[in-house]
Amino acid sequence: MTSQTQGIHQLFQAEKQAKDKLEEAKRRKGKRLKQAKEEAMVETDQYRMQRDKEFRLKQSKIMGSQSNLSDEIEEQTLGKIQELNGHYNKCMESVMKQLDHGL
């Protein structure tokens, strides 16, 4: 009987040790998962910052070229307006002369 009690006691101890090892394994797994999540967050943030930086560089290049293009279009438009005003004035003079001669 004593050997049965001793065997049962040893079985309970073995179960407790297995349970303790399982709990420790779960804690280590949770800790590793938490660490992996933190590392992934850091890596994601670094990637996002790098992509934002690249985007801002491209955006500034595009905006700069758009600004230059806008200035060029403005200059061409002013030149065309001056050209049209000159043509208008010549036509107006011609019409006025024709009207003067016709009267």
Side-chain angles (χ1 to χ4, degrees):
M1 185 86 162
T2 312
S3 66
Q4 282 184 344
T5 307
Q6 190 177 10
I8 293 172
H9 183 64
Q10 286 177 343
L11 182 61
F12 281 138
Q13 280 184 326
E15 285 179 356
K16 184 178 181 334
Q17 287 175 350
K19 184 179 176 184
D20 289 345
K21 285 184 179 184
L22 185 61
E23 291 295 323
E24 179 62 28
K26 286 180 181 180
R27 279 193 293 272
R28 284 194 314 259
K29 180 180 177 184
K31 189 176 179 180
R32 282 195 316 260
L33 286 172
K34 184 178 177 183
Q35 182 181 3
K37 182 179 177 182
E38 289 172 357
E39 289 172 2
M41 296 282 284
V42 167
E43 189 175 329
T44 301
D45 288 344
Q46 288 174 346
Y47 178 76
R48 183 180 295 119
M49 288 187 324
Q50 178 64 30
R51 296 297 290 171
D52 283 347
K53 182 180 176 182
E54 290 171 8
F55 173 75
R56 279 185 253 110
L57 284 172
K58 287 181 181 180
Q59 186 179 32
S60 67
K61 286 180 183 178
I62 291 170
M63 295 306 283
S65 64
Q66 283 181 347
S67 177
N68 292 342
L69 184 60
S70 177
D71 291 344
E72 187 177 321
I73 291 171
E74 181 74 22
E75 188 178 317
Q76 288 176 357
T77 303
L78 290 174
K80 189 68 172 177
I81 289 172
Q82 289 174 348
E83 179 184 322
L84 290 172
N85 280 336
H87 185 68
Y88 168 80
N89 289 334
K90 285 182 183 178
C91 289
M92 186 59 94
E93 285 177 25
S94 175
V95 168
M96 294 304 274
K97 285 181 184 177
Q98 289 175 2
L99 285 175
D100 283 343
H101 287 90
L103 292 176

